[in-house]
Amino acid sequence: MHKLMVLYPEPADRAAFIDYYTSTHLPKVAKLPGLQSWSYALDVAGGPEGRAPYFAVFEAEFADAQSFAAAMASPEGQEVAQDVPNYASGGAITLDYSPTGSSAS
């Protein structure tokens, strides 16, 4: 299993982010070859103050690192990557990794 996590800092305009992200970006993500599952959360809470340093988080799962690399190198993957500046005015932090431990069976 290989995972992709994208952390989004606070955007300049939350409503514009949410609208574009849900209506335009996520349908592009859903077309990534080899994508097994994905999820996202908006208005992420955390810490004692109730606010996390990120506004939104996205997670995706692929069979392995090779499947992830192939997906991102594909035309669909290139389109997804190039689309990020269209909505993520606060930027995006992208992490990809293969978990080294899990409680899932």
Side-chain angles (χ1 to χ4, degrees), residues 2-99:
H2 195 79
K3 294 195 174 218
L4 167 67
M5 178 181 289
V6 184
L7 303 169
Y8 295 101
E10 185 70 36
D13 181 337
R14 283 181 171 215
F17 177 104
I18 293 168
D19 181 55
Y20 190 93
Y21 189 68
T22 58
S23 66
T24 303
H25 188 72
L26 290 176
K28 292 178 184 188
V29 168
K31 295 178 184 176
L32 286 171
L35 179 65
Q36 293 183 330
S37 66
W38 60 270
S39 63
Y40 71 97
L42 301 171
D43 202 17
V44 177
E49 300 83 34
R51 296 213 34 110
Y54 303 104
F55 164 71
V57 62
F58 171 85
E59 295 179 281
E61 190 171 301
F62 296 84
D64 51 38
Q66 294 78 15
S67 297
F68 169 71
M72 296 315 294
S74 72
E76 295 87 352
Q78 293 300 304
E79 184 178 4
V80 165
Q82 292 169 0
D83 191 43
V84 174
N86 292 329
Y87 66 90
S89 59
I93 297 165
T94 303
L95 308 166
D96 75 89
Y97 58 95
S98 293

